[in-house]
Amino acid sequence: MAFAHTIAGTRFVFDDLRMLMARATPLRSGDALAGVAADSAMERVAAQHALADLPLRHFLHEVVVPYESDDVTRLIIDSHDRIAFAPIASLTVGGFRDWLLTVDEAALTRIRPGLTPEMVAAVSKIMRLQDLVAVAAKCRVISRFRNTLGLAGTLSIRLQPNDPVDDPRGVAAQILDGLMLGAGDAVIGVNPATDNVETLCRLLELLDGVRDRLDIPTQTCVLSHVTTTMLAMQRGAPVDLVFQSIGGTQGTNESFGVTLPLLAEARAAALALGRGTLGRNVMYFETGQGSALSANAHHGVDQQTIETRAYAVARAFDPLLVNSVVGFIGPEYLYDGKQIIRAGLEDHFCGKLLGLPMGVDVCYTNHAEADQDDMDALLTLLGAAGVTYVMGVAGADDVMLAYQSTSFHDGLYARALLGRQPAPEFAAWLARNGVAPSSDTGALPSRLLKALP
């Protein structure tokens, strides 16, 4: 089905939904690289007008990736809840935007099962940044393992103690630094420099030993491939969360070496360990705009829509954490600070609206046209939008992954500015151990220092 809109005397025609969505997307370098971006600002505005007039029901009848050949599309269509969709079934995309801005948290929660990723991506394309912030701030998504994430008035931080050679001393020193500055309630999570089961088990034992000796109400994770984590579980390693990068098409997930049945198997194995004390959310997923294009598995769909489809995969496995690593892939996909800021707010909005405990790695690579001022702006906007968690990296500089993120002090800034606290169980632990949760003036007692290797 073709779509058309006339603007300033020029008629623009869009051949199908895939083309309409791509042309309506705010400019980003990845869509230009893929050859799907609008040729001009006028064409983009025309596409946004046409998209605003499109009934939401249309997304149930025309898919952007073929149903027959893509298991993510089948997941989206087969799991759609028409009863939950009923309150908004008569709306257009533009009408849906207006509705989102006026309703309360309860209404947003009720419609979640009735939303497809494409509906959510579509409405985000016609929203200003303030719209993305205002609606996301009304979405409350709570998850639990050893503490409670996503409560009103909280902002959690992933403590990311990466080391270039997986040196336990380097990891432990960064854990100490982060804990002293109130980070770690989302997860203490290490990206290993090498993905082998021996390294994984060694790091898992280190993280769990620190957590257990200090009695920290949090969870740990080593972000290796899901199959490596499953091997570690078979060896009896202390696995709290199963991590995996995921994408919005079957081909993208295959490029990551995963399938939907494999993710289900890993989740079942983690649940069988019974390590959670407050809840059973055992999955941790990371995503990022541009991964489908890198895998040549985007089907001509714009990168933001594909990214939102990844959230349907995440939603199916009831995760504790989902993280858009927004600027990590590089300027080929998000060229500068302006594009990174827009993408980060889109990803957070779309994930929260679909019911995910959404975090954002406020980050950029050194060859992007961005700097820490851009990250300050995005961090502040995300904090106002109610982001579940952000990263805590020593000095904001991850020397193992070679990218710039947010520091432990950045997390303190956002909490202090916006009046946010850590997860309540973690905040109580900080108080018991003499660490002020909203300043850097506390100090861990000597007994905690001795608990580190």
Side-chain angles (χ1 to χ4, degrees), residues 135-159:
V135 176
K138 295 189 288 185
C139 296
R140 186 68 47 215
V141 181
I142 297 171
S143 59
R144 294 180 174 89
F145 189 76
R146 287 198 189 91
N147 58 21
T148 307
L149 303 176
L151 293 171
T154 64
L155 172 61
S156 295
I157 300 171
R158 170 189 159 186
L159 204 171

Side-chain angles (χ1 to χ4, degrees), residues 196-199 201 205 228-238:
N196 62 70
V197 70
E198 289 77 18
T199 297
C201 289
E205 293 287 353
T228 312
T229 302
M230 292 170 73
L231 288 173
M233 284 191 277
Q234 292 171 15
R235 295 189 180 191

Side-chain angles (χ1 to χ4, degrees), residues 152-222:
T154 64
L155 172 61
S156 295
I157 300 171
R158 170 189 159 186
L159 204 171
Q160 183 170 301
N162 296 344
D163 185 89
V165 293
D166 295 326
D167 182 352
R169 294 171 300 175
V171 172
Q174 292 178 77
I175 292 174
L176 174 61
D177 191 17
L179 291 174
M180 291 178 67
L181 294 170
D185 54 333
V187 63
I188 303 175
V190 176
N191 296 87
T194 56
D195 191 56
N196 62 70
V197 70
E198 289 77 18
T199 297
L200 172 59
C201 289
R202 185 172 70 251
L203 289 171
L204 284 168
E205 293 287 353
L206 166 64
L207 298 183
D208 190 63
V210 171
R211 181 203 60 77
D212 183 60
R213 286 192 296 273
L214 303 184
D215 194 26
I216 310 172
T218 190
Q219 37 283 328
T220 64
C221 184
V222 178

